[in-house]
Amino acid sequence: MSAGEDDRVREFSQFRKRMNERILAEDNQVVRRFFALDTQTYRAGALDTRTKELMGLTASMVLRCDDCIAYHVAQCKQAGVSREELFEAFSVSLVVGGSIVIPHLRRAVDFLDQLEAGQAEGAAEPPGHGH
Amino acid sequence: MSAGEDDRVREFSQFRKRMNERILAEDNQVVRRFFALDTQTYRAGALDTRTKELMGLTASMVLRCDDCIAYHVAQCKQAGVSREELFEAFSVSLVVGGSIVIPHLRRAVDFLDQLEAGQAEGAAEPPGHGH
Amino acid sequence: MSAGEDDRVREFSQFRKRMNERILAEDNQVVRRFFALDTQTYRAGALDTRTKELMGLTASMVLRCDDCIAYHVAQCKQAGVSREELFEAFSVSLVVGGSIVIPHLRRAVDFLDQLEAGQAEGAAEPPGHGH
Amino acid sequence: MSAGEDDRVREFSQFRKRMNERILAEDNQVVRRFFALDTQTYRAGALDTRTKELMGLTASMVLRCDDCIAYHVAQCKQAGVSREELFEAFSVSLVVGGSIVIPHLRRAVDFLDQLEAGQAEGAAEPPGHGH
Amino acid sequence: MSAGEDDRVREFSQFRKRMNERILAEDNQVVRRFFALDTQTYRAGALDTRTKELMGLTASMVLRCDDCIAYHVAQCKQAGVSREELFEAFSVSLVVGGSIVIPHLRRAVDFLDQLEAGQAEGAAEPPGHGH
Amino acid sequence: MSAGEDDRVREFSQFRKRMNERILAEDNQVVRRFFALDTQTYRAGALDTRTKELMGLTASMVLRCDDCIAYHVAQCKQAGVSREELFEAFSVSLVVGGSIVIPHLRRAVDFLDQLEAGQAEGAAEPPGHGH
């Protein structure tokens, strides 16, 4: 990973953190409750977090949301999902969602490569409001 | 399940079977290969079929495709996914996809209820081209 | 409105009510909280219910969800939105969402015609979980 | 084609015609202009109508709008597009849009089969506002 | 607002202006008429501009179009919509469209913060073809 | 075209090439087969490549995928599609997909302008996995 790429990942992460704080500081109960519900959704229940994160990743890919994909790829890695398993999740997303998923697949693999290259920092990132 | 509901499930199943045969009888290699690839996608690999079907279900729900949802609910049941686990998959889909998923959730639960009421026949249905 | 059309509106309304009860009877807190949040969203705040329902209608049209459109058309009528105003909401949805909105527009106008023809019953319908 | 299927095609066609008249009778200039623009879009220019209808069909398939697909399949047939060519348009839509297009493909092929079985009437249908 | 952020808003605004001119200079009547219709859509009628802009904003958020969101946020501000009211529009969009709206919400709030910090220039921007 | 714009086109092209290689180097047969099928889809058959590329372009525009749009605009140029014809494809996409297509139209026209300004290099680019 080049220094430039490293900066971009950090910049995105800081932007997400800063804006989440701005949004939750606003006096809007529906928005706050939605963020809390989003966090609750991926907690282990009948299904474990690993399976839920894989489902969140697939949903994000077919809906073509790069930030959501990056978030769930990172969460999957933390939950112990292997690169081979991630590619199987990518393959389901690709077949369900079609070739328009390809540009997002490229960015997902690029993000995954960066995570694997600098995993120490990634693992240290505090958990928080997703997407 | 009323006799009318039973008929509707059978009618849909027959329509899907009949049209898949019509489509695959056509001399179009891209379409045929896509159907074959679709079947291959859910075979056990690094991830088991159960997890892949749950991902297929979530993708179908956020993309709001009733026929795809019904297909994956049936496949999940065959792979041993419990009602409680299915509802957790529904909850991920609902939070990722928003309230526009609700009408599809209603139809998914209705279909699940019908499957559970008449499961013997459902289990006897031959596997085949999905969605 | 023909007797057949009247039946179809009633049938849809009963299906929605029955399935909402099935869904909320399930022990899944995320789904229940989402339904509660959905109801809370349209309560008057800085914006009145009328404006929020018009926004819900427009969002439903561009996302092409017939059940959601029918629900918000009915809610708009109850909040005092006129036919002329509804058509302006339709026009915004049509221009933002494009010609693929047209089939949903046809069904929305058909539903609106039915509501106006038999408004007494519509108004008597109990409020509840939306979409 | 069974009598029942024939009736369904006629019923859909009459509903479309009746609702288009209702919509255009309303005093909303934006909606009327949009309908006029929609008709103008497919007129021969630098590209012939045949190519434009194929593009309209592909766009309708990847956006998964059954009514729009049926309309453009009928228009393509009138413009002399062969079944083999239609299947190539279907194959592009399938690969771009993914397996969620499959249920719409099934209904498109069913509609095409019906058109080919009773083509005389189809050809006699007056041109009009699309989708 | 940092100088860098200020530059990015200006750069986007100039790109939009320059490309709109390129597009309208082209001899394509359908495209030109669509742009004119887009402008006409938000003019006050039975509903005021303020309500129409709020509907345009909600539609843009659930369809996840950042440029459209930025445009309608700016138009809402000009029409006198308060920050509290904008957050209620955001909350409707979030609940209807789900957690995949969150990244767009972050960028919308960031854009709103920038608008409020440098509002004098924003207000001076000439009206024009939207999205 | 400025030097900066030229760099951006080259950077995107290199990223696409590099990531496609990364993806195809992975041992995932479904993903590889999908990429092969994507390439096969646009080969001349009953319809010529030109028509298929125009359909791929329209599908990409209504699905609002900038990378896919850029790819198909370049392929259309190589297949001899004129600027006037491209604008007719844009007009179909705009009317089918609505005003949310406008930001993508702006970027498509910008990309087309850049291609026309530096066409020699564009034509020399090797064919490959699309989108």
Side-chain angles (χ1 to χ4, degrees):
Chain A
M1 183 168 52
S2 74
E5 277 163 344
D6 192 34
D7 287 354
R8 242 178 302 148
V9 173
R10 191 173 308 134
E11 198 180 321
F12 161 67
S13 181
Q14 285 170 350
F15 177 76
R16 191 176 61 190
K17 189 166 177 295
R18 179 164 60 86
M19 293 319 300
N20 282 355
E21 281 164 9
R22 286 287 293 161
I23 289 165
L24 294 171
E26 201 78 27
D27 184 26
N28 185 300
Q29 203 184 44
V30 171
V31 170
R32 282 187 197 162
R33 285 193 173 163
F34 191 94
F35 272 63
L37 195 57
D38 182 35
T39 301
Q40 185 185 351
T41 303
Y42 299 94
R43 286 205 192 114
L47 296 170
D48 56 15
T49 290
R50 182 190 142 83
T51 305
K52 288 183 167 184
E53 286 296 340
L54 280 167
M55 295 190 299
L57 173 60
T58 311
S60 300
M61 288 199 92
V62 298
L63 290 173
R64 301 156 50 207
C65 172
D66 283 326
D67 288 5
C68 311
I69 293 169
Y71 176 76
H72 286 296
V73 164
Q75 295 296 105
C76 281
K77 289 292 293 178
Q78 281 200 330
V81 177
S82 72
R83 186 178 176 97
E84 193 184 354
E85 290 168 329
L86 278 171
F87 263 81
E88 295 205 356
F90 295 162
S91 75
V92 171
S93 306
L94 192 55
V95 169
V96 175
S99 67
I100 45 152
V101 170
I102 292 179
H104 305 274
L105 172 61
R106 279 196 284 259
R107 289 189 283 271
V109 172
D110 186 39
F111 183 80
L112 175 60
D113 285 352
Q114 291 178 39
L115 265 193
E116 288 180 347
Q119 196 151 8
E121 302 120 275
E125 201 176 311
H129 295 290
H131 296 98
Chain B
M1 184 169 55
S2 73
E5 278 163 343
D6 193 37
D7 287 354
R8 241 178 303 149
V9 173
R10 191 173 307 135
E11 199 180 320
F12 162 66
S13 182
Q14 285 170 352
F15 176 76
R16 191 175 62 190
K17 190 167 177 295
R18 178 165 62 86
M19 293 319 301
N20 281 357
E21 281 164 10
R22 286 285 296 160
I23 289 166
L24 294 170
E26 201 78 27
D27 184 25
N28 185 298
Q29 203 184 43
V30 171
V31 171
R32 281 186 198 162
R33 285 191 174 165
F34 191 95
F35 272 63
L37 194 58
D38 182 35
T39 301
Q40 185 185 352
T41 304
Y42 298 94
R43 286 206 191 112
L47 295 170
D48 55 15
T49 290
R50 182 189 141 85
T51 305
K52 288 184 167 184
E53 287 294 341
L54 279 167
M55 295 190 300
L57 173 60
T58 311
S60 300
M61 287 199 93
V62 298
L63 290 173
R64 300 156 51 207
C65 172
D66 284 325
D67 288 3
C68 312
I69 293 169
Y71 176 77
H72 286 296
V73 165
Q75 295 297 106
C76 281
K77 289 291 294 178
Q78 280 201 329
V81 177
S82 72
R83 186 178 177 97
E84 194 184 355
E85 290 167 329
L86 278 171
F87 262 81
E88 295 205 355
F90 295 162
S91 76
V92 171
S93 306
L94 191 57
V95 168
V96 174
S99 67
I100 44 152
V101 170
I102 292 180
H104 305 275
L105 172 61
R106 280 196 283 258
R107 289 189 283 271
V109 173
D110 185 39
F111 183 80
L112 175 60
D113 285 352
Q114 292 178 37
L115 264 193
E116 287 179 348
Q119 196 152 10
E121 301 120 274
E125 203 177 311
H129 294 290
H131 296 97
Chain C
M1 183 168 55
S2 74
E5 278 163 344
D6 193 35
D7 287 356
R8 240 179 302 149
V9 173
R10 192 173 307 135
E11 198 180 321
F12 161 67
S13 181
Q14 284 170 352
F15 176 76
R16 191 175 61 191
K17 190 166 176 294
R18 178 165 62 87
M19 294 318 300
N20 283 356
E21 281 164 9
R22 286 286 295 161
I23 290 165
L24 295 170
E26 201 78 26
D27 184 24
N28 186 299
Q29 202 183 45
V30 171
V31 171
R32 282 187 197 162
R33 284 192 173 165
F34 191 94
F35 273 62
L37 194 57
D38 182 35
T39 301
Q40 184 186 353
T41 304
Y42 298 95
R43 286 204 192 114
L47 295 170
D48 55 15
T49 290
R50 184 188 139 85
T51 304
K52 287 184 167 182
E53 287 295 340
L54 280 167
M55 294 191 301
L57 173 59
T58 311
S60 301
M61 287 199 91
V62 299
L63 290 173
R64 300 156 51 206
C65 171
D66 284 325
D67 288 4
C68 312
I69 294 169
Y71 176 76
H72 286 296
V73 164
Q75 296 295 106
C76 281
K77 289 293 294 179
Q78 281 200 329
V81 177
S82 72
R83 186 177 177 99
E84 194 183 355
E85 290 168 329
L86 278 172
F87 262 81
E88 295 204 355
F90 295 161
S91 75
V92 171
S93 306
L94 191 57
V95 169
V96 174
S99 66
I100 43 152
V101 171
I102 292 179
H104 305 274
L105 173 60
R106 279 195 284 259
R107 289 190 282 270
V109 173
D110 186 38
F111 184 80
L112 175 60
D113 286 352
Q114 291 178 38
L115 264 193
E116 288 179 347
Q119 196 151 8
E121 302 121 274
E125 201 176 311
H129 295 291
H131 296 97
Chain D
M1 183 169 54
S2 73
E5 278 163 344
D6 193 35
D7 286 354
R8 240 179 303 148
V9 173
R10 192 174 307 135
E11 197 181 323
F12 161 66
S13 181
Q14 284 170 353
F15 177 76
R16 190 175 62 190
K17 190 167 175 294
R18 178 164 62 86
M19 293 319 299
N20 282 356
E21 281 165 8
R22 286 287 294 161
I23 289 165
L24 295 170
E26 201 78 27
D27 184 24
N28 185 299
Q29 203 183 45
V30 171
V31 171
R32 281 186 197 162
R33 283 192 174 163
F34 190 94
F35 272 63
L37 194 58
D38 182 36
T39 301
Q40 185 185 350
T41 303
Y42 298 94
R43 286 206 191 112
L47 296 170
D48 55 16
T49 290
R50 182 188 141 85
T51 305
K52 288 183 167 183
E53 287 294 341
L54 280 166
M55 295 191 300
L57 173 59
T58 311
S60 300
M61 287 199 92
V62 298
L63 291 173
R64 300 157 51 208
C65 171
D66 284 325
D67 289 3
C68 312
I69 293 169
Y71 176 77
H72 285 296
V73 165
Q75 295 297 105
C76 281
K77 288 293 293 179
Q78 279 201 330
V81 177
S82 72
R83 186 177 177 97
E84 193 183 355
E85 290 168 328
L86 278 171
F87 262 82
E88 296 205 356
F90 295 161
S91 75
V92 171
S93 307
L94 192 56
V95 169
V96 175
S99 67
I100 44 152
V101 170
I102 292 179
H104 305 274
L105 173 60
R106 279 196 283 259
R107 289 189 283 270
V109 173
D110 185 39
F111 184 80
L112 175 59
D113 285 353
Q114 292 179 37
L115 264 193
E116 287 180 348
Q119 196 152 10
E121 302 120 274
E125 203 177 310
H129 295 289
H131 296 96
Chain E
M1 183 169 53
S2 73
E5 278 163 345
D6 192 35
D7 287 355
R8 240 178 303 148
V9 173
R10 193 173 306 134
E11 198 180 321
F12 161 67
S13 181
Q14 285 169 352
F15 177 76
R16 191 175 60 190
K17 190 167 177 293
R18 178 165 62 86
M19 294 318 300
N20 282 355
E21 281 164 9
R22 285 287 295 161
I23 289 165
L24 294 170
E26 201 78 26
D27 184 24
N28 186 299
Q29 204 183 42
V30 171
V31 171
R32 282 185 197 164
R33 284 193 173 163
F34 191 94
F35 272 63
L37 194 57
D38 182 35
T39 301
Q40 184 185 352
T41 302
Y42 299 94
R43 288 206 191 112
L47 296 170
D48 55 15
T49 289
R50 183 189 140 85
T51 305
K52 288 184 167 182
E53 287 295 341
L54 280 167
M55 294 190 302
L57 172 60
T58 311
S60 300
M61 287 198 91
V62 297
L63 291 173
R64 301 156 49 207
C65 171
D66 283 326
D67 288 3
C68 312
I69 293 169
Y71 176 76
H72 285 296
V73 164
Q75 295 297 105
C76 281
K77 289 291 294 179
Q78 281 201 330
V81 177
S82 73
R83 186 177 176 98
E84 194 184 355
E85 290 168 329
L86 278 171
F87 262 81
E88 295 206 354
F90 295 162
S91 75
V92 171
S93 306
L94 192 56
V95 169
V96 174
S99 68
I100 43 151
V101 171
I102 292 179
H104 305 274
L105 172 61
R106 279 196 284 258
R107 290 190 281 271
V109 173
D110 186 39
F111 184 80
L112 175 60
D113 285 352
Q114 290 178 39
L115 264 193
E116 287 179 347
Q119 196 150 9
E121 302 120 273
E125 203 177 309
H129 295 291
H131 295 99
Chain F
M1 182 169 55
S2 74
E5 279 163 343
D6 193 36
D7 287 355
R8 240 179 302 149
V9 173
R10 192 173 308 136
E11 197 181 320
F12 161 67
S13 181
Q14 285 169 353
F15 176 76
R16 192 175 60 190
K17 189 166 177 296
R18 178 164 62 85
M19 294 318 301
N20 282 355
E21 281 164 9
R22 286 285 295 159
I23 289 165
L24 295 171
E26 201 78 27
D27 185 24
N28 185 298
Q29 203 184 43
V30 171
V31 170
R32 282 186 196 162
R33 284 193 174 164
F34 191 94
F35 272 64
L37 194 58
D38 182 35
T39 301
Q40 186 186 350
T41 304
Y42 298 94
R43 286 204 192 113
L47 295 171
D48 56 16
T49 290
R50 181 189 141 86
T51 304
K52 288 183 167 183
E53 286 294 341
L54 280 166
M55 294 190 302
L57 172 59
T58 311
S60 300
M61 288 198 91
V62 298
L63 290 172
R64 301 156 49 206
C65 171
D66 283 325
D67 288 4
C68 312
I69 293 169
Y71 176 77
H72 286 295
V73 164
Q75 294 297 106
C76 281
K77 288 293 294 178
Q78 280 200 330
V81 177
S82 72
R83 187 178 176 97
E84 194 185 354
E85 290 168 329
L86 278 171
F87 262 82
E88 295 205 354
F90 295 161
S91 75
V92 171
S93 307
L94 191 56
V95 169
V96 174
S99 67
I100 44 151
V101 171
I102 292 179
H104 306 274
L105 173 59
R106 279 195 285 259
R107 290 190 282 271
V109 172
D110 186 39
F111 184 79
L112 175 60
D113 285 353
Q114 291 178 39
L115 263 194
E116 287 180 347
Q119 197 150 9
E121 301 121 275
E125 201 177 309
H129 295 291
H131 295 98

